[in-house]
Amino acid sequence: MTAPTEPREYMRIRPIHNGTVIDHLLPGTGLFILNLLDYTTLRVTPGLNYNSDRIPGGKKDIIYMEGGDLTADQMGVIAVISPSATINWIVDGKLSRKTHPVPVPDELGDILLCSNAKCTTNTEGGSRRFKVLQQPTDTDPFRVLCRYCEKEFYGPLVRFYTGQTLKDVRRGRFEFRR
Amino acid sequence: MVTIGFDKCPDEVYKRFEGRHIISIRDFDRQDIECIISNALSMAELLKKDHRQARHLLEGQRMGVIFYEPSTRTVLSFETAMELLGGSVSGIKDPKVSSAVKGETLADTIRVMAGYFYDFFVIRHYDEGSVRRASEHSRYPANNMNEGKTIPAINGGDGSNQHPTQTVCTDMPTVVKHFGTLDGLVYLFNNDLKNGRTVHSFVEGLMLCKPKKLYFCSPTQLRTPENILRECAAHGIAFEQIPRYEDALPEVDVFYDTRPQLEREQLPDDLKGKIRAVYTVRADEIRSKAKKEMIILHPLPRDSKFNSPEYAVDSLPQARYFEQSHMGVAGRAGLLCLLKGVRL
Ligand SMILES: [Zn+2]
């Protein structure tokens, strides 16, 4: 049994006049990524479990942001957590630019927190920088190295500034065994 | 990567060091390490010939030491190096009387002291990564003719993270002095490999070299951290974790002993007994099993409770740990010159 086909153009562009559409997110990653976006003032519409002909399993998440753009950190996290993602920039109702695959960054910044309590970024604060040591594979999450305390973190020890960890990605790429 | 050797250092490698911060072994490549070592050895020669000849090299320059954790050896060797080069030293050596007790961050302390006409900072702090953070603020402000240029910040130890000058100014030059190389040698690291940051730094430095084999000899509770072993494997470096050093001894070129760090780790009494019984470097073992050319290193201080290496080892030809600590002065003096573009 197949679900009725959605009108793609309508779905991708209509809710947005000027802004960003994060499309083809692995199902289960949409809300995680939404939390990392600054949606306090923007009009943001998340879509979960839309039909997808590109992602194995046939489902995807999607996020529409009216008037917003993404920081390098946000794009980096999208690339790492959902390599299937496409980012579309919409200007005056038209697709002006798209990126796929979203490049995996060499570094991530303040979007992560260091999990080492003795790290200066936790004791004295200040900006944070993490080297992405290992690109994600189907079975392994990514591994990062704090530029300051030089400790490595992976899996659930990778913490985001929102307090989320990769454990909070409910389905999709990362499923952590207890 | 081209190996430049230890006796000549091309200009372009030299130039990389002017105004550079010395924070972590991870910031170096092979040429950097060779350059620092060759400067250490040249400085050692110069000082041996007549240490008064060095007096003009950094005349009038000022070193600020900021030590939030106790240290006698590291701070004294930096002070001695600076004095030998004709410079002066002042700063904060007792955090109890410093602004830290008033809640000032290290970053603020550096921003204040950067305006006090210092030309170097040597920093030890208990927070990991603190010296890298401090280095971001270490530049001459508007009251100085060098406004905007960096003031080299040197990591004298940040918690259990890094202590790079112990490796590149002290340990490695001692090895090169004896063997002419860091490559093709068998290294054995003994005792507390969990807390010994000098071992971690040394092994990280060896990632840039081609050692024949590394042995890690420690009680299970004080084993080398996983990430270091993983890095060895990733660099294709042969290593083995062993429970006793005796059997490996005949192969070893560099025997690196360490002190169990009781200040960082509560050790149960039976483990302390085991460390004394099994991991102490014993003179009879060295005499009967080790090569004559093997060198025994130790970052010192030697804890008299554990007595390793045994005092009887001191008179053996392999014992090089005092020589190693002396190299620390020459190595640091050589590094200071490098950071100010002074060629030896
Ligand atoms: Zn950290």
Side-chain angles (χ1 to χ4, degrees), chain B residues 20-92:
Chain B
R20 183 168 171 178
H21 304 301
I22 303 297
I23 307 295
S24 164
I25 296 287
R26 288 173 194 264
D27 299 337
F28 296 135
D29 63 18
R30 169 88 190 207
Q31 291 185 322
D32 291 335
I33 284 186
E34 288 182 0
C35 189
I36 296 171
I37 294 171
S38 77
N39 249 42
L41 296 174
S42 310
M43 181 58 80
E45 255 174 61
L46 188 148
L47 293 176
K48 179 170 182 172
K49 219 188 292 166
D50 181 357
H51 66 81
R52 290 166 302 185
Q53 278 183 8
R55 233 171 9 201
H56 64 281
L57 291 173
L58 291 181
E59 206 172 359
Q61 303 225 19
R62 287 164 45 76
M63 171 184 281
V65 294
I66 306 174
F67 272 56
Y68 284 85
E69 264 194 332
S71 154
T72 41
R73 202 65 42 77
T74 305
V75 75
L76 185 60
S77 69
F78 270 111
E79 286 173 338
T80 306
M82 194 63 187
E83 279 171 22
L84 286 168
L85 299 171
S88 62
V89 185
S90 60
I92 303 166

Side-chain angles (χ1 to χ4, degrees), chain A residues 113-116 118-122 129-130 145-151 153, chain B residues 128-129:
Chain A
L113 285 176
C114 184
S115 288
N116 174 9
K118 291 181 188 158
C119 179
T120 186
T121 63
N122 291 315
R129 281 170 73 183
F130 299 85
L145 176 84
C146 174
R147 174 175 162 79
Y148 292 92
C149 68
E150 306 188 23
K151 298 287 177 292
F153 304 102
Chain B
E128 297 171 12

Side-chain angles (χ1 to χ4, degrees), chain B residues 6-7 34 36-46 48 167-183 185 187 202 253-254 293-295 297 317 319-328 330-331:
Chain B
F6 295 101
D7 42 18
E34 288 182 0
I36 296 171
I37 294 171
S38 77
N39 249 42
L41 296 174
S42 310
M43 181 58 80
E45 255 174 61
L46 188 148
K48 179 170 182 172
T167 302
V168 293
C169 299
T170 306
D171 300 346
M172 287 186 157
T174 308
V175 173
V176 173
K177 189 182 161 203
H178 283 273
F179 295 100
T181 180
L182 294 164
D183 300 321
L185 301 174
Y187 295 81
F202 198 127
D253 298 302
V254 179
E293 309 75 45
M294 184 182 88
I295 61 172
L297 304 182
R320 297 294 174 179
Y321 26 90
F322 290 110
E323 182 186 318
Q324 172 195 5
S325 75
H326 303 158
M327 181 62 84

